[in-house]
Amino acid sequence: MVKTVSSNEMWGGRFAEGPAAVMEAINVSIGFDKRLAQQDIQGSIAHAEMLSAQGIIDPQSAEAIMQGLAKVKAEIDAGTFTFRTELEDIQMNIEGRLTEIIGKPAGRLHTARSRNDQAVTGFRLWVRDTLDGIDAALADLQLAMAEKAVVHAGTVMPGFTHLQSAQPVTFGHHMMAYVEMLGRDRGRFRDARARLNECPLGAAALAGTSFPIDRHRTAKALGFDRPTANSLDSVSDRDFALEALAAASILAMHLSRLAEEIVIWTSAQFAFVKLSDKFTTGSSIMPQKRNPDAAELVRAKSGRVYGSLMGLLTVMKGLSLAYAKDMQEDKEQTFDALDALALSIAATAGMVRDMEPDAKRLKKAAGAGYATATDLADWLVRTLKMPFREAHHATARIVGLASARNIDLEKLTLAEMQSVEPRITAEIFGVLGVANSVKSRVSYGGTAPVNVKKQARRWLAQLAREKRAPR
């Protein structure tokens, strides 16, 4: 008959009675930290192997521990493992089940470690794994955007400032703006990953251990670059989670900005792009509606990510060294934020691939609001050698003439323009169309279709190289 391990046995002789029900309720974390099971087992295997190699535990105990952990992992993978609230967290649940399977040798596994360094090691491993997944998802989103940019490198659309028509750009150029943003986001996540990639295992409760452990061995076994250098910092540091959440918050903001644009673009008033039924929903009362709910939810989830960052900052701000139970509140917020972020990235990639710009509608809108006025001013400077400020004033007067007649700039006659500036020639009409405007923006980073295609193809090549490179 298998003996069931109780919470009192795990705690030892200090406690004669079990916890009050409310104490168990506030103290228990297995409901959420069970998702760290794989990482905890991974850390326990590395620890047991090191203990055996250092002669701290005998090889037979180490072998029994390995076999027992393999069985625990198989149960968890199969969904047959029973997570018990009285054992509080994932660390004690796994150790408790290991004890039931192999008996006394299980007690040797916790030699030279504490739940403090054990738990934070598993959490670091989870955050690292998750950041790798986010990086891959962001690469896919960049790919979707760059591919869309190549197709629509010459699709003219209005560029806005203050949500007012400013200058014509191209849809491809707009997509590439987000590719650049996501590139910076990926850089922030990679920086965060590099800083978190130190192993706290072996720091024990807070002061290190008197056992002759080899922390470099366990760090290497777990794929860390090195062990953490200070035992106090090792168990009390949550910078790695905070930095991941800070990077996540900036990314969520970028995704929310695009989501807001998609909401605007798909409205009947703009009708710049269309989303299919895959990424829209209907109304329970208005049969004509096609609502951009995926975009709206991406926009909303940014608030959850921000809240998680502020929540964990608030948890940590008043804690003296080293570990305090407050830090148990680190995981739910990080899990929630990075889950929401991963879903937002996937939904955004889906919308980008799904949405179809209305080229005719975009081109018409691009010319609204006298969007080529800057091109006229630039022509006056470039051709007539006027100081820009004078050219600006002259252009404003010409725009006033067009506005008074409620026509586009290119519909003015040459004589009307010459009434403001006599030196203007018929050559001016070559720069006033929106297509000519975007073609002329050939400065590095400008919206000229040739630039957009070049930048998009550069990114596509870079993303292809990244995909081929081993991780």
Side-chain angles (χ1 to χ4, degrees):
M1 181 178 178
V2 175
K3 179 185 177 183
T4 301
V5 177
S6 70
S7 57
N8 278 3
E9 287 181 81
M10 298 300 291
W11 284 117
R14 173 64 178 84
F15 293 84
E17 298 181 44
V22 69
M23 178 60 193
E24 183 174 293
I26 196 172
N27 198 44
V28 68
S29 61
I30 189 61
F32 55 85
D33 69 13
K34 62 185 178 182
R35 69 190 297 175
L36 298 177
Q38 301 299 332
Q39 289 80 12
D40 186 72
I41 291 172
Q42 188 181 354
S44 290
I45 289 171
H47 186 66
E49 288 177 339
M50 181 275 296
L51 291 177
S52 178
Q54 294 296 105
I56 299 171
I57 65 174
D58 60 273
Q60 293 77 17
S61 293
E63 181 61 28
I65 288 169
M66 299 296 180
Q67 292 180 4
L69 288 171
K71 289 181 181 179
V72 173
K73 182 179 185 302
E75 290 178 4
I76 292 172
D77 291 343
T80 60
F81 186 95
T82 300
F83 295 100
R84 296 160 55 195
T85 57
E86 68 270 21
L87 292 182
E88 186 181 325
D89 58 26
I90 189 58
Q91 293 80 34
M92 291 179 71
N93 265 263
I94 289 175
E95 185 177 337
R97 180 60 182 141
L98 182 65
T99 301
E100 292 171 354
I101 294 171
I102 69 171
K104 191 173 181 179
R108 300 188 184 281
L109 175 59
H110 209 54
T111 306
R113 77 175 183 185
S114 160
R115 276 196 302 167
N116 293 353
D117 61 330
Q118 179 186 357
V120 74
T121 299
F123 191 26
R124 277 184 186 250
L125 288 170
W126 184 90
V127 172
R128 188 180 71 184
D129 292 344
T130 302
L131 294 191
D132 289 343
I134 287 173
D135 184 72
L138 286 177
D140 181 65
L141 177 53
Q142 286 182 300
L143 177 65
M145 290 173 165
E147 289 174 341
K148 191 73 75 172
V150 170
V151 175
H152 293 284
T155 301
V156 179
M157 70 173 290
F160 297 96
T161 60
H162 309 278
L163 202 56
Q164 305 295 313
S165 185
Q167 292 178 278
V169 295
T170 70
F171 193 82
H173 192 56
H174 203 105
M175 287 292 98
M176 290 308 299
Y178 283 99
V179 172
E180 293 293 331
M181 290 183 210
L182 297 180
R184 295 192 296 274
D185 288 319
R186 292 181 68 194
R188 276 182 282 271
F189 282 116
R190 287 176 175 179
D191 287 347
R193 189 195 191 281
R195 272 184 286 276
L196 77 77
N197 207 37
E198 297 182 348
C199 183
L201 194 59
L206 75 161
T209 178
S210 59
F211 289 96
I213 62 173
D214 184 350
R215 293 190 62 207
H216 289 85
R217 181 189 179 101
T218 49
K220 184 178 180 181
L222 294 171
F224 289 107
D225 294 330
R226 63 192 70 83
T228 50
N230 181 282
S231 60
L232 284 169
D233 179 52
S234 300
V235 298
S236 62
D237 164 46
R238 294 299 183 272
D239 293 2
F240 65 93
L242 287 166
E243 190 169 7
L245 291 175
S249 295
I250 297 173
L251 169 58
M253 175 268 294
H254 287 153
L255 297 178
S256 184
R257 294 182 73 180
L258 177 57
E260 169 71 2
E261 291 188 317
I262 291 173
V263 170
I264 292 171
W265 291 348
T266 55
S267 68
Q269 290 72 23
F270 276 74
F272 284 179
V273 304
K274 292 181 180 178
L275 285 173
S276 75
D277 295 348
K278 295 178 181 178
F279 290 94
T280 55
T281 64
S283 165
S284 63
I285 190 173
M286 295 169 284
Q288 83 282 7
K289 295 294 293 297
R290 183 190 289 271
N291 300 321
D293 282 5
E296 291 172 1
L297 288 166
V298 168
R299 186 176 60 187
K301 286 182 186 299
S302 63
R304 290 176 66 168
V305 178
Y306 300 166
S308 295
L309 172 60
M310 294 310 300
L312 185 52
L313 282 169
T314 305
V315 166
M316 297 300 297
K317 73 175 182 63
L319 301 186
S320 58
L321 298 181
Y323 179 80
K325 193 68 171 183
D326 309 52
M327 293 183 195
Q328 183 168 287
E329 297 297 313
D330 58 356
K331 296 172 190 65
E332 277 187 289
Q333 300 181 76
T334 306
F335 293 160
D336 184 74
L338 296 185
D339 286 349
L341 191 69
L343 185 56
S344 295
I345 296 168
T348 303
M351 286 188 288
V352 168
R353 289 192 167 98
D354 184 71
M355 66 184 181
E356 286 300 325
D358 185 329
K360 289 183 179 179
R361 179 97 176 185
L362 286 168
K363 186 174 182 179
K364 182 178 180 181
Y370 308 106
T372 58
T374 304
D375 297 277
L376 193 158
D378 288 347
W379 185 89
L380 296 175
V381 172
R382 187 171 55 249
T383 305
L384 303 184
K385 311 302 180 187
M386 293 176 66
F388 182 79
R389 201 47 65 196
E390 289 183 22
H392 186 281
H393 293 319
T395 299
R397 292 172 60 193
I398 294 171
V399 168
L401 293 176
S403 179
R405 291 186 54 197
N406 197 28
I407 59 174
D408 294 333
L409 279 176
E410 57 265 36
K411 297 296 178 62
L412 287 172
T413 66
L414 179 60
E416 285 173 313
M417 293 190 196
Q418 288 175 335
S419 70
V420 174
E421 173 49 63
R423 293 177 294 165
I424 293 176
T425 69
E427 182 185 328
I428 192 66
F429 294 103
V431 303
L432 292 182
V434 291
N436 290 330
S437 174
V438 296
K439 286 179 183 177
S440 72
R441 304 292 171 178
V442 293
S443 59
Y444 183 80
T447 191
V450 64
N451 285 9
V452 174
K453 286 182 180 179
K454 184 176 181 180
Q455 291 292 346
R457 286 169 178 158
R458 178 180 67 82
W459 269 105
L460 289 171
Q462 179 176 323
L463 292 167
R465 288 193 299 273
E466 289 177 1
K467 196 169 185 178
R468 291 193 299 268
R471 285 190 173 272

